[in-house]
Amino acid sequence: MTGARPRVDGPAKVTGAARYAAEWRAADLRHAALVTSPVPAATITAVDTSAAERVPGVVAVFTHHNAPRLRPPVGAPYGGRLPLQDNRVHYEGEPVAVVVAERLEQAREAVGLVRLDYAPLSAETDFRAVADTAVPTPPARWGPADTTVGDLAAGIAEADVVLRAEYSTAARHHSPIETSATQAEWRDGVLTLRDATQGVFNVHAVVSSALDLPADRVRVLAEYTGGGFGSKGYVWPHQVIAAMLARELGGALRLVLTRAQSFTSHGYQPPTRQRLVLAATAEGRFTAIRHDSLSPTSTYGEYVEMTANGSRVAYACPAITTTHRVAPVATVLPTPMRAPHEGPGMFALEVAVDEVACELGIDPLELRLRNHAEVDPTSGKPFSTKGLLACYAEGARRFGWADRPRATGSLREGDQLIGWGMATAVMATMRFPAAARARLHADGRVVVEAGCQEIGTGTYTIMPQLAAEVLGCPPEQVVLRLGDTALPRTGMTAGSSTTLSVGSAVTAAAEALAARLALLATGDPTAAVRLDGIELTVKNGAVEVFRLDELFARLGVDSVAAGGSWEPRENQRSMHTFGAVFAEVAVDVDLPVPRVRRLVAVYSAGRIVNPLTARGQMTGGLVWGIGQALLEKSTTDHRLGRFVDKNLAGYRLPVNADVPDLDVAFVEEYDPHASGIGARGIGELGSVGVAPAIANAVHHATGKRVRSLPIALEDLL
């Protein structure tokens, strides 16, 4: 572990000095507001914008009749239909008109005066109702849709216990504090976007291709993004609209989604129906696992929630079959949400494991230990590193699992039934190519540059730590510039990939800078260097100390820079992060509302660069898991084809009163295969395994088995 360093961007965020996409000013700034479809599928038969155009301050109203024509976007994931290009509606909330005005209030007033007539078309928003139309999905970017190893039928025949059960998870929305916003400026033939995004290069690729602009005439910036959790990873219609209209009208234009629009404008986590077959011998050895998943996609595009990914690697089993199917419905395209795939999928698997443990009369932790996988059971590859056994042991010790009574309902405090449950956490490791640049100035400042994003994960803190570690200087001497397509290219901030990918590139850039400094100072690029303020110490047999201002003056430069890059290499190892989550839940006898009293979680995730920011990520993930388990659900009115609660009053999220003591720890680990710095991703792992641990604790308390999320009071009556 490198060291616990507080967040350097904290003061800027709490004082308001940090500027987000919608907080940049321009003298000629205009405001755009969306008109969205109230129906899930229709043909627009008539448009009347005359009343809206008469509102004082309104500059223009755009519909499919007069909007600029666009080209199909390429180069990055795009989650919507091209906006305002035809008279068809494919989901409730789809943009059908845009008002541009001098002031935001004027634009919003005019939105209510745009009149459109719709001829409704047949639309289904319940994926279960069209389950028979589901088809095998093509291989997704997260792996093959279906996998099979071993003889499933033989494994089932060999078993003493065979569980067959159906599990379900609810639709959920990301709900970041900052609603999505784009400020676009068209000046002198160059388009500049300040965007709330998880991927500036994704926005650059989509916008430049859709608007048919040369790449060097588009620049995207995102110095701060106020949370994304997946919703700002893909590019969506509102970003294209802002860019399109800024070019059309000239000057600056800002488009900010309302909270209600954020429920229909940039994806959501789709609900799932998962069917599990889990077979085991009387001794507790798994002989067969089958995990079949069904989830919705949109009628105009495809997204696959790969919920069975975890079942492919979690346990040693000779026969494992997984399938994924998607059913098209009239909603906006689903998208990854912390934690995609394994988040909803491990709920089903880990509750099923608990059910088998109860049936066999084996302690749930002991059953997992008996089926620990030493190699990836589906691919046969060894894991890059895996400290799951240490996670089990340390988590059980911290929680006091050894004192857990076997019988349900046997722990009680007054009117409270107490339950203890646990679950395994597994998350695939995503990696992206990345580049970085490091520059040392004569005054001792080190500026690291990389085009990645800060979405609340601590990037401004971690990258300087990594560079400082190489250069031997205090982290305070290093600053990071990010979020700009003019900087070295990186991947999007998603899939828990930034620290391991960009961090590896930053380390490479710092090493290159150190070698160049050694070469300039002594002629030997292999000499060891250490930087402290404006003093550069070089050890090359003897120890020499140089003042940077004098050295640079002699060289005739005011700074020295070097670049570095990192590319994930294909190898013969399976890369995942792991964890063990233990939960204590209390359920009132008369009003059976589950309350989480404590969570203990221990993780195996490679090298932990900054334990302080890492703990923040994992505690945030645990809170997400509480929300998934007990609160979050986006209810759809299938008669109207729309989400019902498009606000934070109806969509329930955990608050302080819902969050108990959280005990988070990491096992010591270094993974040389996953990245150049020994790290794997952690940001999403923290939300995996929490919901099943809570559900298993509820069963231990009440004896009632819940197989759907969120757990509702009526499930326990």
Side-chain angles (χ1 to χ4, degrees):
M1 297 188 183
T2 296
R5 186 188 182 205
R7 293 278 294 267
V8 299
D9 53 333
K13 289 181 174 179
V14 300
T15 61
R19 283 194 286 180
Y20 293 81
E23 296 181 323
W24 292 84
R25 300 185 181 278
D28 57 353
L29 181 63
R30 293 163 171 163
H31 298 268
L34 299 179
V35 180
T36 59
S37 170
V39 295
T43 299
I44 300 172
T45 57
V47 178
D48 182 0
T49 61
S50 57
E53 291 166 349
R54 289 195 295 270
V55 173
V58 168
V59 175
V61 181
F62 292 92
T63 69
H64 65 276
H65 290 305
N66 63 338
R69 298 299 93 181
L70 299 168
R71 292 177 177 267
V74 296
Y78 181 67
R81 299 177 65 242
L82 282 176
L84 310 182
Q85 299 298 290
D86 58 39
N87 66 342
R88 287 293 304 276
V89 171
H90 287 71
Y91 57 93
E92 187 264 333
E94 184 174 7
V96 291
V98 186
V99 175
V100 180
E102 300 295 339
R103 292 168 48 196
L104 179 59
E105 296 83 358
Q106 296 165 335
R108 287 181 174 173
E109 178 185 354
V111 160
L113 298 176
V114 175
R115 297 288 177 257
L116 297 102
D117 293 336
Y118 301 89
L121 299 173
S122 175
E124 181 58 68
T125 53
D126 184 355
F127 77 106
R128 291 173 179 264
V130 289
D132 57 348
T133 68
V135 295
T137 61
R141 62 174 53 88
W142 300 282
D146 299 348
T147 59
T148 298
V149 293
D151 188 334
L152 192 76
I156 294 173
E158 178 188 347
D160 297 297
V161 170
V162 179
L163 171 75
R164 291 180 172 87
E166 181 174 302
Y167 305 85
S168 63
T169 60
R172 298 195 300 157
H173 278 85
H174 309 73
S175 302
I177 293 176
E178 178 201 32
T179 59
S180 288
T182 304
Q183 182 161 313
E185 299 188 31
W186 178 261
R187 304 192 191 280
D188 301 322
V190 175
L191 179 66
T192 302
L193 302 180
R194 294 190 180 275
D195 194 38
T197 179
Q198 294 175 233
V200 291
F201 292 101
N202 284 358
V203 177
H204 182 276
V206 167
V207 167
S208 59
S209 60
L211 273 61
D212 195 24
L213 283 171
D216 61 358
R217 292 172 60 191
V218 179
R219 184 182 182 188
V220 183
L221 303 103
E223 294 179 3
Y224 293 94
T225 295
F229 318 115
S231 66
K232 299 171 183 173
Y234 286 20
V235 186
W236 299 94
H238 66 274
Q239 293 155 296
V240 175
I241 289 172
M244 171 179 74
L245 299 188
R247 184 180 68 168
E248 181 73 8
L249 299 172
L253 180 144
R254 180 188 295 163
L255 196 164
V256 182
L257 296 183
T258 65
R259 178 60 65 183
Q261 288 168 353
S262 72
F263 279 75
T264 56
S265 296
H266 45 54
Y268 67 105
Q269 185 173 73
T272 69
R273 186 194 72 190
Q274 303 174 56
R275 289 175 174 162
L276 262 290
V277 177
L278 182 56
T281 65
E283 294 75 28
R285 304 291 180 185
F286 295 157
T287 59
I289 298 172
R290 180 173 183 126
H291 192 162
D292 300 308
S293 179
L294 174 70
S295 61
T297 187
S298 72
T299 56
Y300 63 85
E302 185 169 88
Y303 172 81
V304 185
E305 191 73 37
M306 301 280 287
T307 60
N309 271 2
S311 294
R312 297 171 178 176
V313 300
Y315 296 108
C317 184
I320 303 174
T321 294
T322 67
T323 70
H324 297 87
R325 301 291 181 266
V326 291
V329 295
T331 66
V332 68
L333 187 72
T335 196
M337 175 173 163
R338 184 190 194 188
H341 317 309
E342 288 89 343
M346 290 299 288
F347 164 71
L349 177 65
E350 288 301 286
V351 173
V353 170
D354 199 75
E355 295 195 54
V356 170
C358 290
E359 181 71 19
L360 292 172
I362 298 175
D363 177 83
L365 175 56
E366 175 60 28
L367 183 62
R368 289 168 171 85
L369 292 172
R370 293 181 188 182
N371 292 280
H372 178 264
E374 297 294 338
V375 298
D376 185 319
T378 296
S379 69
K381 296 179 180 180
F383 292 107
S384 55
T385 59
K386 182 181 182 182
L388 180 57
L389 290 176
C391 294
Y392 286 145
E394 179 63 11
R397 185 192 69 80
R398 287 171 174 259
F399 189 83
W401 185 261
D403 296 328
R404 177 185 185 269
R406 189 71 51 84
T408 60
S410 55
L411 289 176
R412 185 164 178 161
E413 293 180 7
D415 293 333
Q416 301 288 310
L417 297 172
I418 310 300
W420 289 4
M422 61 88 55
T424 301
V426 176
M427 192 76 197
T429 297
M430 291 186 65
R431 306 179 298 163
F432 295 111
R437 184 166 50 242
R439 182 180 298 275
L440 173 62
H441 294 266
D443 61 3
R445 287 180 301 118
V446 180
V447 178
V448 172
E449 297 176 321
C452 58
Q453 301 71 215
E454 159 54 36
I455 66 171
T457 56
T459 307
Y460 277 115
T461 306
I462 294 168
M463 300 305 162
Q465 282 186 271
L466 290 168
E469 185 178 69
V470 173
L471 297 171
C473 65
E476 293 76 17
Q477 199 168 333
V478 185
V479 296
L480 174 67
R481 289 187 60 222
L482 54 64
D484 187 344
T485 51
L487 299 178
R489 188 180 185 92
T490 69
M492 63 177 171
T493 301
S496 308
S497 63
T498 295
T499 295
L500 70 92
S501 301
V502 182
S504 296
V506 166
T507 296
E511 290 171 344
L513 176 60
R516 188 171 182 207
L517 290 170
L519 177 65
L520 292 173
T522 67
D524 180 6
T526 65
V529 303
R530 182 170 59 83
L531 183 65
D532 186 5
I534 64 167
E535 290 190 345
L536 177 69
T537 301
V538 183
K539 186 175 182 181
N540 185 24
V543 176
E544 297 184 74
V545 179
F546 301 86
R547 281 180 57 95
L548 293 178
D549 50 358
E550 296 173 354
L551 175 64
F552 285 11
R554 188 168 74 246
L555 296 171
V557 299
D558 58 7
S559 66
V560 174
S565 62
W566 180 78
E567 184 100 18
R569 290 179 294 178
E570 291 295 327
N571 56 52
Q572 297 304 308
R573 295 187 180 269
S574 179
M575 295 183 185
H576 295 77
T577 50
F578 301 91
V581 183
F582 296 80
E584 178 178 298
V585 171
V587 182
D588 186 85
V589 173
D590 298 315
L591 187 65
V593 176
R595 297 287 186 185
V596 182
R597 304 214 311 182
R598 59 190 179 110
L599 290 174
V600 174
V602 183
Y603 298 104
S604 160
R607 175 191 175 192
I608 302 303
V609 176
N610 184 323
L612 192 61
T613 57
R615 186 182 187 280
Q617 283 293 289
M618 306 321 281
T619 54
L622 293 176
V623 175
W624 271 77
I626 292 171
Q628 180 192 24
L630 302 177
L631 296 166
E632 293 184 60
K633 181 179 182 179
S634 296
T635 302
T636 301
D637 184 331
H638 296 299
R639 299 168 304 158
L640 300 176
R642 65 191 303 271
F643 292 113
V644 175
D645 299 311
K646 293 188 285 187
N647 53 60
L648 296 184
Y651 184 81
R652 296 181 298 165
L653 295 168
V655 297
N656 286 349
D658 300 306
V659 181
D661 291 335
L662 305 177
D663 182 1
V664 173
F666 299 91
V667 299
E668 289 286 345
E669 198 172 44
Y670 187 94
D671 191 335
H673 308 285
S675 67
I677 58 173
R680 298 196 298 274
I682 65 170
E684 290 169 307
L685 176 64
S687 62
V688 181
V690 182
I694 292 172
N696 293 338
V698 167
H699 175 262
H700 185 238
T702 66
K704 294 181 179 292
R705 181 64 70 182
V706 180
R707 297 186 176 123
S708 63
L709 295 180
I711 302 170
L713 181 149
E714 53 267 29
D715 295 327
L716 305 180
L717 287 174

